[in-house]
Amino acid sequence: MSKKLIIYTAFFVLLSGSFMAYYAFMIKESRGSWTGKEKLPVLGAPGHTVQGFSFTDQDSNQVTQDNVKGKIYVAEYFFTTCTNICPVMNKNMEKVYAKYKDKPNFLILSHTSDPDYDSVRVLKAYAEQHGADPKNWHFLTGDKRQLYKLARESYLVDDGTFTGEDDFIHTQWFALVDGEGRIRGLYEGTKVKDVDKLIADIDRLMQE
């Protein structure tokens, strides 16, 4: 093989390698992995993130946006006297909790829809029924208007508007939130298939 042919061959090998590396890099940037797996979508209008909040958990601790900063978490709405969808939702949430309870960058925020009844004492008893450790599964109560505002304007789990003290949220949706406060998925908490997808998506989000 001539010296010129060797040079040309080496050049084309290097050129091909450069194109392959660039293509792999573009896949990584757009899809989140070298293998081309799609990143989870970001829901809501461009730039949408969860707004600031401050609620009280089952141990009387204040939980704010500072507690979730940089962490992946699942948000839901329920009430302790519910005998319809809420027991199913929180039984399914136990499955999520069991898998990630030892992950320091993961939380669950369960907001009451009925703060007038669901006091700290009531939430404490309810949390214990579900084996929830308050360090990473918070059952939250607070101002009703602020709770509902967060559900509708931040977590996107209800499409209504606040209509006063008789207003009530009863939603089956779980919201998956990333460390930047962006909504990355909505899942029906009453459906095993959706909860399994939530778990798979948490795994994917942890790899981003």
Side-chain angles (χ1 to χ4, degrees), residues 61-76:
N61 295 317
Q62 291 302 116
V63 176
T64 72
Q65 64 270 30
D66 290 337
N67 296 93
V68 300
K69 188 175 182 180
K71 296 185 178 183
I72 295 167
Y73 68 98
V74 178
E76 67 157 346

Side-chain angles (χ1 to χ4, degrees), residues 38-199:
E38 294 282 354
K39 283 185 177 181
L40 294 176
V42 177
L43 305 185
H48 178 86
T49 58
V50 175
Q51 60 197 245
F53 61 88
S54 180
F55 301 120
T56 304
D57 76 1
Q58 68 267 38
D59 272 4
S60 298
N61 295 317
Q62 291 302 116
V63 176
T64 72
Q65 64 270 30
D66 290 337
N67 296 93
V68 300
K69 188 175 182 180
K71 296 185 178 183
I72 295 167
Y73 68 98
V74 178
E76 67 157 346
Y77 279 74
F78 81 105
F79 56 105
T80 61
T81 56
C82 172
T83 58
N84 187 2
I85 62 174
C86 302
V88 178
M89 290 165 60
N90 281 320
K91 187 66 177 177
N92 287 334
M93 191 69 87
E94 286 181 20
K95 183 177 179 181
V96 180
Y97 178 66
K99 181 164 185 182
Y100 300 106
K101 65 181 180 180
D102 296 322
K103 300 288 186 181
N105 64 333
F106 180 80
L107 296 171
I108 298 173
L109 303 187
S110 295
H111 308 73
T112 180
S113 296
D114 186 11
D116 289 338
Y117 180 84
D118 288 338
S119 64
V120 169
R121 180 183 59 80
V122 171
L123 290 178
K124 178 73 171 178
Y126 190 85
E128 289 174 351
Q129 291 174 17
H130 292 280
D133 188 325
K135 79 174 186 292
N136 50 17
W137 189 353
H138 301 279
F139 288 81
L140 302 174
T141 189
D143 178 74
K144 182 177 182 179
R145 190 181 188 99
Q146 292 305 310
L147 284 162
Y148 283 30
K149 181 180 175 68
L150 201 68
R152 289 163 172 162
E153 297 182 11
S154 288
Y155 295 129
L156 311 178
V157 295
D158 185 271
D159 59 2
T161 56
F162 191 75
T163 57
E165 289 307 308
D166 291 333
D167 190 18
F168 201 80
I169 286 178
H170 198 197
T171 175
Q172 76 272 31
W173 294 99
F174 293 166
L176 175 60
V177 187
D178 68 17
E180 298 177 45
R182 301 176 300 179
I183 309 301
R184 304 301 295 273
L186 294 172
Y187 312 83
E188 290 196 59
T190 55
K191 295 183 177 179
V192 172
K193 184 177 179 180
D194 265 35
V195 174
D196 288 342
K197 185 177 188 306
L198 168 60
I199 290 172

